[in-house]
Amino acid sequence: MGNSPPVFKQILSELGYDVVVPPPPSRRTLDLGTKYAPEFACIPFKILLGSYLEAIDLGADTIISTGGVGPCRAGYYGELHRGILHDLGHDVDLIIIEPPLKRPADFLRAMYLLFRERKAPLWKLPDIFWRAWLKLNAIDCVEKASHDIRTFEIDKGETTTVFRQCMEILDAAQSKIEIKEATDASLELLSAIPQDRSRDPIKIGLIGEIYVVLEPLANHNVQVKLEEMGVLVHRSIYLAEWTQNNALTNREYDVKKAAEPFLSELVGGHGRNSIGETVLYAQKGFDGVIQLAPFACIPEIVAKSILPYVSRKLNIPVMTLFLDEQTGEGGIRTRLEAFVDLLVQRKKKKEGQLACVGI
Amino acid sequence: MSKQRIGIPRSLFFYSYMPFWQTFWSELGCEAVVSPLTNKNMLDQGISHSVTDLCVPVKIFHGHISYLISQKVDALFIPRMVGVGTNDTFCPKFLALPEMIRCSFSSLPPIIAPRIDVRGPLGWFKLCSDLQREWVPERNVWGAFTKARAAQAHYEAQLTGGKLPHEAWPTFRWFHSVEQSKPLARTPELRIAMLGYPYSVYDQFTNGDVLQKLRNLGVQVLTAEMIPLGKRSRHRLRKDLFWHYSNMVVQAGIFWLNQGVAGLIHVTNFACGPDAMAGKLLELACKQQGKPLLTLTLDEQTGQVGINTRIEAFVDMLQRRILGAHNLPLHG
Ligand code: SF4
């Protein structure tokens, strides 16, 4: 998902496995997945299935994935992926890591399978995971920095080029010190990019389902596109942060509280957060919100059907992009441009009004 | 004081729980206003009141609500279905239904939206007495509760006895849109399981009255509701699905396959999330047993003609398979 694969690769290879990293998801991955997935499975399901098939082609015989407890479908993906892969005649093991608290037996079994063939001694494990965690955080931190800069860059595209270099630097970092150094180096590289800080960009909040928000193939790199149009984009989800807030502790109270008046029930996936985040963005004075969701994603559809109401009440424009394998680059761009135009007009009008009041 | 009129939409979970709620409210001295069978007008109303990406059943639900609003009911009954004690939950759209409705209509009568997450009779009783205390404080809950339970038990017994909802509970009775022709008699009897969510299988408007159509073709139709819960849940998957109705569909599929039906028809809704999973599981199960599966996908434009031809072709094919098998020589 997004920039995270190198981290998981690091964990597994340090455990002593031969790791096959499928190529970053591409059009081919998606086509492959679409071919064997149910029609109305959502795009993450299809991309994952495609990646598994590509990995199998490269010789993988074990696949590690995560489970879940619903009511979002994603928690069941692993089971169905296994069914489909076996039906296609591939003899692979699918180790599904279930949430430890809700399904302890399954979790332990997965851990057993996972560590059965490990070559690293037990005492090394905490260190392996701790460094992976640091790296995940470092990646997020560098990515955030890149988003703060791209909107203001003078040469279009420069941030993206530099960011790619940074990822390579981080990828090579192994020890704690190296990770720290790589992070600093990356941040320095980024801040050296010439910028025009006099711009007064409009601000958009990016919300929606975690996978499509994080995976550029699925969302056609919406955030970068917007930033290159000169918009300041705040993304609601980063992987390390999210893991901390959801899997490890439960710390998203403010988002939940913000959503409360509009949707009091947990609807799975990221549905209720989408509402809460929209409310928060409105309160923080953002100019607009874009919701990204896989086509036919139920929690997000639920959110979408409530969002118009939130938008009217709090006076903040919201646009939803539902993404599937047919979504084209061009279509996305036109819709983004139209939305940005609308926000710019609104902002001008608002400022005009304020100026009048001032006189 | 005139009777309170409570609007009950005949849609979604009401195909499973209508007897309970209708009895409950009328026994409490209210008038239970049940919306009629889905019709074209309701569908249009539903479409215009809901966001485009919703599935048809939820749009239709909006249509039923808009009908009830036009009837000037005093309150709408839209429970939030969370769990009914089977360790699974409902499709997220059920979980947020009251809010979705609240956001889709500009003026609404009060909504009675209890959160239904109950286990066992005690849970149901508590739920009912909360409702009674809040909405009809002058009445006594006990009588209404026991009558409602009896009605529900009776209804479920009729279903497991092989009846369809419209034969088992008066509210569900409908007038056949498909002409009643004399059913063909088939030998040997052709048994087909028709699986899907109750609001799709039994809403004869959305599915073009497939049930009746099949019966006219001389087929014995079997549904998920005909299997008692205890028997059905013996056919659990290695990991259960999360949604109540989807588990029901998949378990029922496996159950009927084991009972040797000739084939399965899966009635599903365009862009239904849970069904993308359930459908695939059914497909894999059928493949394992070498049984044919027909998937009927419903949306707002589903044409009766298209459905009819597909059903006829399917039934013919199954018939030929059966006859063919009988003609096979006994020795290789
Ligand atoms: S189960 Fe499917 S058809 Fe039913 S409400 Fe959910 S998405 Fe719609």
Side-chain angles (χ1 to χ4, degrees):
Chain A
M1 208 173 347
N3 297 313
S4 61
V7 180
F8 296 112
K9 178 181 166 208
Q10 181 181 322
I11 300 184
L12 290 171
S13 54
E14 289 185 346
L15 283 177
Y17 287 98
D18 248 353
V19 188
V20 181
V21 184
S26 63
R27 192 67 222 182
R28 173 168 181 270
T29 319
L30 185 52
D31 290 342
L32 210 57
T34 308
K35 190 161 156 205
Y36 300 110
E39 188 184 353
F40 295 120
C42 42
I43 195 167
F45 185 94
K46 294 175 183 169
I47 297 182
L48 282 177
L49 183 59
S51 288
Y52 294 165
L53 287 167
E54 285 180 328
I56 291 172
D57 268 352
L58 293 174
D61 58 10
T62 306
I63 291 170
I64 296 176
S65 176
T66 51
V69 288
C72 159
R73 287 186 275 176
Y76 205 79
Y77 281 0
E79 290 291 315
L80 205 57
H81 280 137
R82 172 165 34 215
I84 294 175
L85 291 176
H86 286 176
D87 184 51
L88 289 174
H90 295 298
D91 185 22
V92 286
D93 266 343
L94 219 70
I95 301 181
I96 302 173
I97 305 178
E98 296 285 356
L101 297 180
K102 298 264 175 61
R103 302 177 72 92
D106 290 332
F107 176 76
L108 290 177
R109 204 174 37 146
M111 287 300 122
Y112 166 71
L113 290 175
L114 193 57
F115 291 117
R116 192 179 39 183
E117 286 170 39
R118 100 196 119 79
K119 305 209 175 67
L122 219 47
W123 59 269
K124 267 199 179 164
L125 295 185
D127 176 57
I128 293 180
F129 282 101
W130 179 240
R131 276 182 295 112
W133 175 244
L134 287 181
K135 198 157 168 178
L136 201 59
N137 276 294
I139 292 179
D140 273 3
C141 159
V142 172
E143 196 191 338
K144 268 188 195 160
S146 82
H147 292 305
D148 284 338
I149 287 167
R150 192 178 284 105
T151 313
F152 302 98
E153 69 186 3
I154 291 178
D155 293 322
K156 249 198 197 147
E158 194 177 348
T159 316
T160 307
T161 324
V162 175
F163 180 66
R164 240 176 254 137
Q165 288 170 8
C166 300
M167 283 299 116
E168 276 163 29
I169 302 178
L170 273 169
D171 194 14
Q174 297 281 336
S175 68
K176 279 180 215 158
I177 301 183
E178 280 167 2
I179 294 175
K180 176 89 185 56
E181 282 170 1
T183 316
D184 292 345
S186 302
L187 292 178
E188 213 159 289
L189 275 178
L190 281 169
S191 58
I193 296 172
Q195 305 163 33
D196 171 8
R197 280 281 160 181
S198 67
R199 293 178 192 162
D200 176 23
I202 55 166
K203 287 190 288 179
I204 293 183
L206 211 54
I207 61 165
E209 190 275 335
I210 179 164
Y211 189 91
V212 294
V213 169
L214 293 183
E215 180 53 59
L217 170 72
N219 67 31
H220 294 272
N221 229 344
V222 170
Q223 187 168 12
V224 168
K225 276 206 179 77
L226 284 168
E227 284 166 349
E228 288 182 348
M229 288 177 200
V231 177
L232 197 63
V233 185
H234 185 273
R235 191 169 87 198
S236 55
I237 311 170
Y238 284 86
L239 194 55
E241 207 173 270
W242 182 87
T243 314
Q244 192 166 2
N245 288 344
N246 289 273
L248 306 176
T249 58
N250 198 343
R251 275 209 306 212
E252 290 184 314
Y253 288 128
D254 52 335
V255 179
K256 280 175 200 150
K257 231 168 86 212
E260 192 73 42
F262 300 99
L263 179 62
S264 57
E265 187 72 30
L266 192 73
V267 292
H270 206 257
R272 187 164 64 171
N273 290 42
S274 286
I275 307 260
E277 279 152 7
T278 305
V279 174
L280 292 180
Y281 281 132
Q283 287 168 357
K284 285 186 201 141
F286 273 61
D287 299 287
V289 169
I290 295 181
Q291 180 197 19
L292 297 176
F295 175 70
C297 167
I298 324 168
E300 295 297 331
I301 289 183
V302 169
K304 189 196 167 181
S305 60
I306 295 173
L307 279 175
Y309 183 70
V310 180
S311 158
R312 249 180 289 137
K313 281 261 147 138
L314 303 179
N315 191 23
I316 182 167
V318 181
M319 174 170 81
T320 304
L321 292 175
F322 275 112
L323 306 153
D324 70 358
E325 63 274 11
Q326 274 134 30
T327 315
E329 177 99 45
I332 294 271
R333 183 174 289 279
T334 354
R335 293 198 54 195
L336 289 180
E337 280 167 356
F339 190 62
V340 169
D341 264 357
L342 169 96
L343 297 186
V344 170
Q345 296 310 325
R346 270 175 62 106
K347 185 169 168 151
K348 274 196 194 138
K349 235 198 205 151
K350 248 195 242 161
E351 272 164 12
Q353 277 168 2
L354 286 183
C356 290
V357 174
I359 295 166
Chain B
M1 209 179 81
S2 70
K3 270 189 175 181
Q4 263 208 71
R5 302 173 72 238
I6 304 223
I8 307 185
R10 182 210 308 255
S11 183
L12 298 185
F13 39 77
F14 288 100
Y15 280 95
S16 312
Y17 302 106
M18 182 67 89
F20 188 90
W21 293 117
Q22 201 179 2
T23 315
F24 178 71
W25 289 113
S26 1
E27 288 297 319
L28 279 181
C30 305
E31 186 187 340
V33 185
V34 180
S35 58
L37 290 169
T38 312
N39 55 40
K40 180 82 177 66
N41 186 29
M42 278 191 204
L43 176 64
D44 293 342
Q45 284 292 322
I47 292 174
S48 73
H49 276 104
S50 52
V51 294
T52 40
D53 314 86
L54 283 173
C55 56
V56 207
V58 175
K59 287 185 183 164
I60 288 180
F61 188 83
H62 280 73
H64 281 265
I65 293 294
S66 115
Y67 169 88
L68 290 169
I69 295 176
S70 74
Q71 295 301 300
K72 307 231 167 0
V73 292
D74 299 315
L76 286 167
F77 183 58
I78 312 177
R80 182 197 307 282
M81 300 299 288
V82 181
V84 286
T86 39
N87 263 331
D88 41 20
T89 176
F90 283 77
C91 168
K93 289 178 190 167
F94 281 63
L95 301 182
L97 207 51
E99 275 103 353
M100 279 160 83
I101 293 296
R102 215 168 268 145
C103 295
S104 305
F105 292 89
S106 46
S107 66
L108 277 172
I111 295 183
I112 308 177
R115 183 173 190 277
I116 300 195
D117 186 3
V118 289
R119 283 159 198 277
L122 219 67
W124 281 100
F125 179 70
K126 179 153 183 327
L127 177 83
C128 286
S129 58
D130 286 348
L131 278 174
Q132 172 264 334
R133 220 168 308 131
E134 189 178 347
W135 297 92
V136 214
E138 67 278 10
R139 290 284 182 142
N140 187 330
V141 66
W142 182 249
F145 174 72
T146 43
K147 287 239 170 74
R149 266 182 71 85
Q152 183 70 21
H154 175 72
Y155 175 67
E156 281 169 15
Q158 299 250 9
L159 293 184
T160 46
K163 286 201 175 159
L164 297 172
H166 68 281
E167 296 156 340
W169 184 252
T171 314
F172 290 125
R173 206 155 287 150
W174 65 62
F175 301 96
H176 300 295
S177 50
V178 176
E179 256 169 58
Q180 281 271 22
S181 50
K182 199 158 170 283
L184 296 164
R186 295 203 179 247
T187 36
E189 195 169 49
L190 198 53
R191 295 160 76 226
I192 299 183
M194 180 155 146
L195 305 167
Y197 304 132
Y199 42 90
S200 311
V201 171
Y202 301 124
D203 187 326
Q204 125 273 27
F205 175 79
T206 18
N207 66 28
D209 218 351
V210 188
L211 273 174
Q212 191 55 41
K213 183 82 201 167
L214 281 169
R215 283 191 165 177
N216 288 351
L217 289 171
V219 171
Q220 189 194 347
V221 192
L222 302 162
T223 66
E225 280 78 7
M226 292 178 186
I227 317 166
L229 179 66
K231 277 198 191 159
R232 193 179 73 219
S233 45
R234 245 173 265 154
H235 299 267
R236 292 184 47 179
L237 300 164
R238 165 176 169 156
K239 175 177 180 184
D240 279 332
L241 287 160
F242 308 130
W243 319 283
H244 179 70
Y245 281 137
S246 313
N247 273 326
M248 185 181 92
V249 163
V250 176
Q251 288 167 359
I254 300 171
F255 178 90
W256 287 126
L257 281 173
N258 290 344
Q259 299 284 314
V261 289
L264 297 189
I265 298 182
H266 182 211
V267 183
T268 163
N269 296 293
F270 182 80
C272 164
D275 258 356
M277 312 276 118
K280 189 74 195 182
L281 291 172
L282 280 182
E283 188 190 313
L284 294 177
C286 282
K287 223 168 156 182
Q288 262 177 15
Q289 302 223 10
K291 290 286 166 65
L293 169 78
L294 171 72
T295 304
L296 289 180
T297 308
L298 312 176
D299 66 7
E300 42 281 57
Q301 279 111 31
T302 311
Q304 177 111 39
V305 187
I307 292 192
N308 285 354
T309 36
R310 293 191 60 201
I311 295 232
E312 276 161 24
F314 188 66
V315 170
D316 274 353
M317 188 261 290
L318 293 181
Q319 183 80 33
R320 260 181 283 123
R321 266 174 69 113
I322 292 190
L323 293 179
H326 275 264
N327 291 339
L328 282 180
L330 284 173
H331 309 283

